[in-house]
Amino acid sequence: MALPQAKTDATEERLAGLSLPAAGGWGTAAREDALGRLRSMGLPQRRDEYWKYTRPDTLVQADPPAAALFEAKDESPVFGAHDRLKVVFVDGVFDAEASDDLAMAGLEVERLSDAMAADIHWARDVYGVLEARGQSPVARPFAAMNTAFATDGLCLRATGRAEKPVSLIYLHRDETSDATLHHVIKIEAGADLTVLENGPAAARFNKCMEVEVADGGAFHHVRTQGRDHERRAVTHIFARLGREASFKSFTLTANGVLTRNECVVEFCGDDAIAHVAGAAVGDGDFHHDDTVFVTHDAVNCESRQVFKKVLRNGATGVFQGKILVKDGAQKTDGYQISQALLLDDDSQFYAKPELEIYADDVACSHGSTTGAIDDEALFYLRSRGVERTDAQDLLVLAFLAEALEEIEDEGIAEDLTARLERWLKRRRR
Amino acid sequence: MLDIKNLHVALEEEDKQILKGVDLSVESGAVHAIMGPNGSGKSTLSYVLSGRDGYEVTEGSVTLEGADVLELEPEERAAAGLFLAFQYPVEIPGVGNMTFLRTALNAQKKARGEDEVSAADFLKLIRAKAKELQIDADMLKRPVNVGFSGGEKKRNEILQMAVLEPKMCILDETDSGLDVDAMKLVSNGVNALRDAGRAFLVITHYQRLLDHIRPDVVHIMADGRIVKSGGPELALEVEKNGYHDILAEVA
Ligand SMILES: Nc1ncnc2c1ncn2[C@@H]1O[C@H](COP(=O)(O)OP(=O)(O)OP(=O)(O)O)[C@@H](O)[C@H]1O
Ligand SMILES: [Mg+2]
């Protein structure tokens, strides 16, 4: 189908300033394929249905708006207390010096460029492959753009129980940096890996992560975004799950003028589970978009989407979440909840929850709510002596708790809760 | 302890007068009971005393040990020693019962310039108090009042009172929804707190509670006023004859 001329023009205009990074054998082909996909779908425009609530223009324009550097001097590094394999990227470029040795029992770690230079490599069957599958039924142009132009990234292959989590640390040193990272992850049958992500990354950050989880494999993902306020980020996770596989991803977002996190999960084997959750807190000039698409194409799989947002002073939250249950995907258990707590009348939440079901023996539920602090609860707490601001924070954290409970590691959950508590305290007047 | 003088209260939202000149003094060490027909203003009085939004005091005064109560925020009233056991305790999903109580206790202590209670000491304290009220560990861990039965909610109110040790305890129909045994537990909890430095205002519809918690004075509230006060025998009269005769007599 031909694209509207305006869209083609805008896409070509953007592409004119870019050239495909040199890759080598299979990498070049994968990039060229992705570029072809991108040309056929075009970059998003304001009137695109999938971008109805989030303006794509600053993500499309050639140069990103500058973003002030941010360093959280008042807090210890996120995941700092965790024994982890640190991998550092500065403005989207791998920093070997700052990183640990890329070696660990149960895991193969390689830089994307090295993997692409090899004639035969497992990553070939994942890189751009899961992304391409995720382009239908809804186009995700920034993901195709990422596959075509990613300048760096990691290839992780878990062959057993990985000794410790891989911690991807993104540093931002250049106020106008435009970073494109692409990670490829393969969890072999029965293997287990945790990936942590944190840090400001760049002024504009396009990140893609493809995760193939083979039969009985388990993948855990916890990431934090923020507190760098001026960044713009568009991220994608594409996951394909085998039989009895487990995929759990949690994102905590604090601040950010523009964040769009897409997560696309496909069940290909029976009896697998996928939990995708997020807690986002925004104040003022904040726009946060969670866009999730879960496809059940196997029997007896369980999916959960739990997204909570706390918004104040004109902040905006968006949730687009879909559960697609294909013909034959019987015994599907699909759950989706998206909720926003608005702390004033200026903030807004747009939710588009969708179920599309072609199997008859399934249990799917979804719910979306927008509400304010419960005055009755607030008074009850105060009547027992809790100060108004403390009572309010307690209720905000209680609201976010259902999302935070999705984090399996209790230590991490506690640490992130404490960070949220401090975020709330800093915003008291 | 508590002095209410000529208290007039209207609803903020609509032009409706609910309390029409309440006069009531509860002295330290005493237990006063308030009875009265549905809708006479008993809960409204308890809410106004604890500082809930939505009411406008149009006339009168309330003091606790001589200090103006109406000036204070709800949390300041709590720190000053005022406690209301709610007729309808509120459910708070996501906030653990223990976390809540410890936060409340320490907030009050902080406001009074006292040392906070350590996690270990608090655990000891709450376990002991919970045991007396036969509240099990599971209820302590659950979110505040969520999924509690009616009677469990009321017992949880008394647990909070036992832990916070307020000076002026207002109980709004704490007996409703309690089975006979729970009523005894709750009454024992209240009686254990009876002390020369503490006072109680017990709102109830039934004489039965007052068999366990012997009041010094019984007041009858009707149409926003205290229309009659007397000894414990007044409650017996209500139990036997209802409010008809009393209201006719004061009309
Ligand atoms: N927020 C409100 N809006 C409208 N009417 C109210 C409100 N609060 C109280 N009222 C009215 O004020 C009157 C007194 O109510 P209140 O709850 O104080 O009575 P009560 O004596 O506690 O009754 P009960 O014995 O049934 O508990 C009632 O007529 C009630 O409908
Ligand atoms: Mg009442």
Side-chain angles (χ1 to χ4, degrees):
Chain A
M1 201 173 57
L3 292 179
Q5 193 57 43
K7 191 169 215 168
T8 304
D9 291 348
T11 303
E12 290 306 325
E13 190 187 321
R14 175 72 180 103
L15 292 177
L18 297 171
S19 51
L20 288 184
W26 65 269
T28 303
R31 289 179 187 282
E32 280 168 359
D33 284 354
L35 184 58
R37 280 196 292 282
L38 175 59
R39 284 208 154 98
S40 69
M41 64 185 91
L43 282 164
Q45 292 193 301
R46 210 157 163 209
R47 267 169 300 160
D48 288 8
E49 184 61 25
Y50 216 42
W51 289 83
K52 191 169 172 184
Y53 307 112
T54 299
R55 294 187 60 155
D57 40 355
T58 53
L59 298 172
V60 171
Q61 72 190 41
D63 296 312
L69 304 183
F70 174 86
E71 200 185 332
K73 294 204 180 74
D74 52 348
E75 286 194 314
S76 61
V78 182
F79 308 129
H82 235 74
D83 185 22
R84 56 196 173 138
L85 182 93
K86 284 185 286 193
V87 186
V88 178
F89 293 86
V90 180
D91 291 304
V93 181
F94 173 65
D95 183 340
E97 204 115 297
S99 303
D100 292 337
D101 265 350
L102 299 187
M104 174 163 73
L107 184 75
E108 289 169 18
V109 190
E110 253 170 303
R111 236 176 129 174
L112 179 64
S113 50
D114 294 335
M116 281 183 172
D119 285 342
I120 299 173
H121 200 280
W122 62 266
R124 180 182 186 161
D125 297 329
V126 183
Y127 187 86
V129 175
L130 270 51
E131 173 258 300
R133 287 176 74 92
Q135 295 294 355
S136 143
V138 196
R140 305 171 198 281
F142 290 113
M145 188 170 172
N146 184 303
T147 301
F149 296 103
T151 44
D152 219 327
L154 283 189
C155 299
L156 305 173
R157 179 166 166 261
T159 52
R161 171 170 286 274
E163 198 183 326
K164 49 191 174 186
V166 172
S167 174
L168 307 177
I169 300 164
Y170 304 125
L171 302 181
H172 178 204
R173 297 247 171 85
D174 170 358
E175 286 189 2
T176 57
S177 58
D178 193 10
T180 307
L181 280 184
H182 196 122
H183 305 304
V184 192
I185 298 167
K186 178 145 195 204
I187 312 295
E188 297 291 357
D192 190 328
L193 175 69
T194 298
V195 169
L196 309 171
E197 292 184 284
N198 73 286
R204 185 167 68 187
F205 190 32
N206 180 339
K207 199 208 63 192
C208 186
M209 191 159 92
E210 292 174 286
V211 189
E212 168 106 60
V213 188
D215 296 351
F219 178 71
H220 304 264
H221 175 228
V222 181
R223 99 178 123 173
T224 67
Q225 299 174 312
R227 301 149 47 198
D228 54 323
H229 183 60
E230 296 177 5
R231 65 132 195 289
R232 280 151 219 278
V234 55
T235 77
H236 289 84
I237 297 171
F238 295 95
R240 182 164 63 175
L241 310 183
R243 195 171 40 80
E244 289 174 27
S246 159
F247 170 91
K248 292 186 180 173
S249 172
F250 175 87
T251 303
L252 170 66
T253 309
N255 306 50
V257 286
L258 178 62
T259 309
R260 162 105 159 194
N261 292 330
E262 296 196 19
C263 185
V264 181
V265 178
E266 189 184 1
F267 287 103
C268 298
D270 300 344
D271 308 314
I273 64 165
H275 293 185
V276 191
V281 290
D283 187 351
D285 185 15
F286 169 88
H287 185 105
H288 184 87
D289 177 338
D290 286 300
T291 291
V292 182
F293 199 113
V294 176
T295 304
H296 285 262
D297 197 8
V299 173
N300 195 34
C301 293
E302 174 199 306
S303 69
R304 270 173 80 79
Q305 302 173 35
V306 180
F307 287 87
K308 303 258 188 168
K309 295 177 174 63
V310 176
L311 306 166
R312 57 190 293 170
N313 290 321
T316 301
V318 177
F319 175 79
Q320 307 189 100
K322 179 152 182 172
I323 305 175
L324 169 63
V325 182
K326 291 203 174 170
D327 187 16
Q330 304 297 11
K331 307 268 186 245
T332 287
D333 178 1
Y335 175 75
Q336 180 197 87
I337 181 112
S338 64
Q339 295 182 309
L341 181 64
L342 307 183
L343 297 183
D344 51 50
D345 296 335
D346 303 328
S347 304
Q348 51 257 311
F349 178 53
Y350 303 99
K352 192 177 169 198
E354 285 182 285
L355 291 179
E356 195 177 326
I357 301 174
Y358 298 100
D360 50 17
D361 183 15
V362 302
C364 284
S365 65
H366 66 160
S368 182
T369 64
T370 306
I373 288 275
D374 178 356
D375 283 337
E376 290 286 321
L378 192 66
F379 173 63
Y380 190 70
L381 292 171
R382 295 178 71 192
S383 79
R384 297 303 183 242
V386 184
E387 257 186 68
R388 197 182 57 81
T389 44
D390 289 329
Q392 175 152 334
D393 287 0
L394 212 56
L395 293 174
V396 170
L397 289 173
F399 167 79
L400 292 171
E402 189 188 356
L404 287 152
E405 277 161 15
E406 294 291 322
I407 305 173
E408 270 188 12
D409 186 303
E410 264 177 48
I412 290 181
E414 266 169 37
D415 180 54
L416 297 190
T417 304
R419 285 170 199 274
L420 277 167
E421 213 168 324
R422 290 194 291 273
W423 187 92
L424 291 167
K425 275 220 170 88
R426 284 194 299 272
R427 264 148 196 88
R428 288 181 179 176
R429 270 143 256 254
Chain B
M1 173 74 72
L2 181 72
D3 288 286
I4 305 171
K5 292 210 175 80
N6 194 31
L7 187 66
H8 286 69
V9 170
L11 290 177
E12 250 171 22
E13 294 275 296
E14 45 191 300
D15 188 24
K16 188 176 171 192
Q17 200 75 30
I18 311 246
L19 300 184
K20 302 169 180 173
V22 175
D23 283 290
L24 183 66
S25 281
V26 186
E27 50 301 340
S28 197
V31 174
H32 285 216
I34 299 186
M35 302 181 83
N38 292 133
S40 54
K42 305 179 297 296
S43 291
T44 302
L45 175 64
S46 72
Y47 283 141
V48 171
L49 293 176
S50 51
R52 193 188 199 211
D53 280 344
Y55 306 101
E56 191 191 346
V57 175
T58 51
E59 224 184 308
S61 66
V62 179
T63 57
L64 182 69
E65 295 187 304
D68 186 356
V69 166
L70 300 175
E71 286 268 287
L72 303 178
E73 297 292 336
E75 56 269 34
E76 294 171 325
R77 298 180 194 200
L82 196 84
F83 179 91
L84 167 64
F86 284 57
Q87 181 174 0
Y88 304 107
V90 181
E91 298 190 3
I92 313 184
V95 178
N97 216 5
M98 288 247 260
T99 313
F100 159 58
L101 248 182
R102 194 170 145 224
T103 307
L105 180 62
N106 280 334
Q108 290 199 16
K109 292 209 174 258
K110 196 173 150 208
R112 291 195 292 259
E114 299 167 12
D115 286 342
E116 294 192 1
V117 180
S118 73
D121 287 348
F122 178 76
L123 205 62
K124 245 185 260 165
L125 173 72
I126 193 154
R127 281 203 183 128
K129 303 280 186 192
K131 198 170 165 210
E132 286 166 20
L133 289 160
Q134 293 183 10
I135 290 176
D136 59 30
D138 177 56
M139 257 173 78
L140 293 177
K141 278 190 213 134
R142 271 154 60 185
V144 180
N145 292 326
V146 177
F148 288 24
S149 74
E152 286 170 345
K153 283 181 182 166
K154 297 302 178 79
R155 270 189 282 152
N156 200 31
E157 294 290 287
I158 300 306
L159 172 68
Q160 292 171 30
M161 187 171 85
V163 169
L164 297 171
E165 300 188 316
K167 286 180 195 155
M168 181 68 230
C169 310
I170 305 165
L171 279 63
D172 190 358
E173 292 195 30
T174 300
D175 51 338
S176 65
L178 291 181
D179 64 37
V180 182
D181 296 330
M183 174 105 73
K184 272 189 200 138
L185 280 178
V186 162
S187 306
N188 291 344
V190 171
N191 288 331
L193 281 171
R194 285 183 79 157
D195 181 280
R198 184 171 286 129
F200 291 85
L201 189 57
V202 180
I203 299 170
T204 182
H205 285 297
Y206 306 106
Q207 156 62 29
R208 209 172 53 189
L209 178 71
L210 304 179
D211 282 340
H212 299 291
I213 308 172
R214 301 289 301 164
D216 301 295
V217 185
V218 174
H219 306 276
I220 306 297
M221 182 176 248
D223 193 23
R225 277 188 206 91
I226 302 291
V227 294
K228 191 172 181 178
S229 302
E233 70 285 352
L234 199 50
L236 290 169
E237 192 187 327
V238 169
E239 179 90 349
K240 219 165 113 205
N241 304 324
Y243 292 107
H244 187 266
D245 292 354
I246 297 172
L247 296 187
E249 171 194 324
V250 299

